[in-house]
Amino acid sequence: MRAALKGLYSKYDAAYIKNPILMAGATMGAKASFCDIIAQRYEDPNCPVDWSRCGKFTFFCVAYVGSFQHLLFNKLYPRLFPGTGALQAAKCALFDNFVHSPCLYLPTYYTYRSFTSHGSLTDGLTQYRREGYDVLKACWGIWVPSQPEGFEEDDSERTVRRRVSERELAEEKAREEENKTAVAAAISAAPTAAPAPAVAATATVTAK
């Protein structure tokens, strides 16, 4: 069982390295749909699952939480806050909690939810102004103390992935060089047709 799980994780990790944005979106989409189904069951176990609500939430998480935030965390933040270690991770976490979340993430979510529920973008922003601070306080209570560690681990993971990619590239180049060498050796070892003797050529011309 452990070997099977390890093999599955290896395949997942390889797919993530090859297509990070696609895999980030797929991962968050699967997580979102599962969590929303659990939430609906918790709210009212007797009601059927609202698949429309589940689909809307899943799409948002695929597009924003998975794909967009992959670019944000792994491409933009390292440029805004270069370096490694606890200080760099703390800067990323503070920026994410006090700039990204209140100014982009939650406004986007509220307007998206309102628009997909037959409301307007203005209605979504109005609701965000009314209850956004309470939502942010709850988020800050979780993410401000815990997110720096996550960003520090992400930095280590990026380093590992980069080194793995560099090693795989070096191995691929080495294999190409080996193949070229083997082809050249095979060509050199192949027998070549001996030229016709000069006497035979002269006899042929005389006969004509």
Side-chain angles (χ1 to χ4, degrees):
M1 181 66 178
R2 181 178 297 180
L5 290 175
K6 186 176 180 180
L8 184 62
Y9 176 78
S10 297
K11 291 180 180 179
Y12 172 84
D13 199 47
Y16 211 114
I17 292 173
K18 187 176 181 180
N19 298 295
I21 297 177
L22 178 63
M23 289 301 297
T27 301
M28 291 309 303
K31 178 182 175 182
S33 59
F34 177 76
C35 290
D36 189 64
I37 292 171
I38 296 298
Q40 291 189 46
R41 290 298 187 188
Y42 180 79
E43 290 173 3
D44 191 346
N46 297 319
C47 282
V49 174
D50 185 347
W51 293 109
S52 176
R53 164 184 150 169
C54 184
K56 294 171 185 176
F57 183 63
T58 299
F59 177 79
F60 178 81
C61 288
V62 168
Y64 192 104
V65 181
S67 302
F68 173 73
Q69 287 194 159
H70 172 84
L71 296 174
L72 186 71
F73 293 163
N74 295 283
K75 301 297 182 181
L76 181 60
Y77 282 8
R79 294 185 179 184
L80 292 177
F81 310 105
T84 58
L87 180 59
Q88 186 264 358
K91 290 178 181 179
C92 290
L94 291 174
F95 183 88
D96 194 65
N97 279 280
F98 296 102
V99 178
H100 168 232
S101 290
C103 299
L104 184 60
Y105 173 70
L106 284 177
T108 301
Y109 174 72
Y110 273 88
T111 53
Y112 170 81
R113 188 176 68 175
S114 176
F115 181 76
T116 55
S117 301
H118 308 291
S120 66
L121 302 181
T122 303
D123 293 337
L125 291 175
T126 300
Q127 186 178 9
Y128 173 56
R129 284 194 296 267
R130 185 170 59 249
E131 60 187 49
Y133 183 62
D134 291 332
V135 174
L136 283 168
K137 286 192 295 183
C139 291
W140 291 336
I142 298 172
W143 295 116
V144 170
S146 65
Q147 206 170 23
E149 182 179 358
F151 276 114
E152 196 167 3
E153 289 178 355
D154 286 346
D155 181 72
S156 300
E157 184 68 15
R158 282 194 297 271
T159 302
V160 170
R161 289 179 185 276
R162 184 177 66 252
R163 289 176 179 173
V164 169
S165 298
E166 290 172 352
R167 186 182 65 193
E168 290 177 343
L169 182 60
E171 291 175 351
E172 184 177 352
K173 288 183 178 179
R175 286 194 297 270
E176 290 178 357
E177 292 298 326
E178 290 176 359
N179 291 337
K180 290 179 181 178
T181 302
V183 171
I187 293 174
S188 299
T192 56
V199 175
T202 304
T204 304
V205 172
T206 306
K208 289 182 178 180

